[in-house]
Amino acid sequence: MQVVKGLDPIQYMGRWYEIAALPSLFQPKNSINTRATYTLNPCGIVHVCNETWSYGKRDCIQGVAYKADPKSNEAKFKVKFYEPPFLPIIPVVGNYWVLYLDDDYQYVMIGEPDRRYLWILSRHNRMDDEIYNMLVKKAKEEGYDVRRLKKTTHTDPPPGLGDAPTDTKGLWWILAIFGK
């Protein structure tokens, strides 16, 4: 699997909007406005804040990302979240491999070696069809079942933090486990 080499972590930080993804257990089925915000800590660890809106509420989970092999120049990271979000006691670690990134750090394709998870992200909540189709083609070439890709709905303008109450009880997480 091709992985980006020489990723500039400072340029990569900030907000990314999910344009499409392979469905997963840990995200509500009816989620919209899904996005991730990455912040580099002084020690080199990245703070991750994944947000989505479902059932009229903002759902979020926070974690960390770090280089899988600090000596490698490949963009292979590990992400760690604690589950369930309302009682964060169980560490869940996954792979976050940057499979494609444009030179201007405006869109990216993230995957992992088992090819169960795939995300197409952009700095904007919309993506040109030509770029999207190019990324889908690359994903297919890497062995992903792109027929399962689901485009993410976004509103204009994107919601702010105060635009909806936050689900602090983790109801979204429980619903996602049951396929809702």
Side-chain angles (χ1 to χ4, degrees), residues 46 48 64-69 76-80 92-97 113:
V46 175
V48 178
V64 295
Y66 51 91
K67 289 277 289 194
D69 177 359
K76 292 181 179 179
F77 298 89
K78 293 286 187 183
V79 289
K80 184 190 309 184
V92 176
V93 179
N95 291 299
Y96 181 108
W97 290 11

Side-chain angles (χ1 to χ4, degrees), residues 2-9 11-13 16 75 77 96-110 121-123 131 134-135 138:
Q2 293 290 321
V3 179
V4 169
K5 293 178 176 62
L7 181 138
D8 177 354
Q11 198 172 352
Y12 195 81
M13 295 301 106
W16 292 91
F77 298 89
Y96 181 108
W97 290 11
V98 181
L99 304 179
Y100 183 84
L101 176 65
D102 74 300
D103 292 338
D104 295 326
Y105 287 63
Q106 294 300 301
Y107 49 90
V108 64
M109 184 171 68
I110 307 300
L121 308 176
S122 172
R123 293 293 188 178
I131 294 169
M134 179 266 300
L135 292 171
K138 286 187 177 299

Side-chain angles (χ1 to χ4, degrees), residues 2 27 31 44 56 60 74 93 100 103 109 112 134 163 168:
Q2 293 290 321
Q27 190 169 339
S31 59
C60 67
E74 290 184 312
V93 179
Y100 183 84
D103 292 338
M109 184 171 68
E112 48 81 45
M134 179 266 300
D163 291 345
T168 57

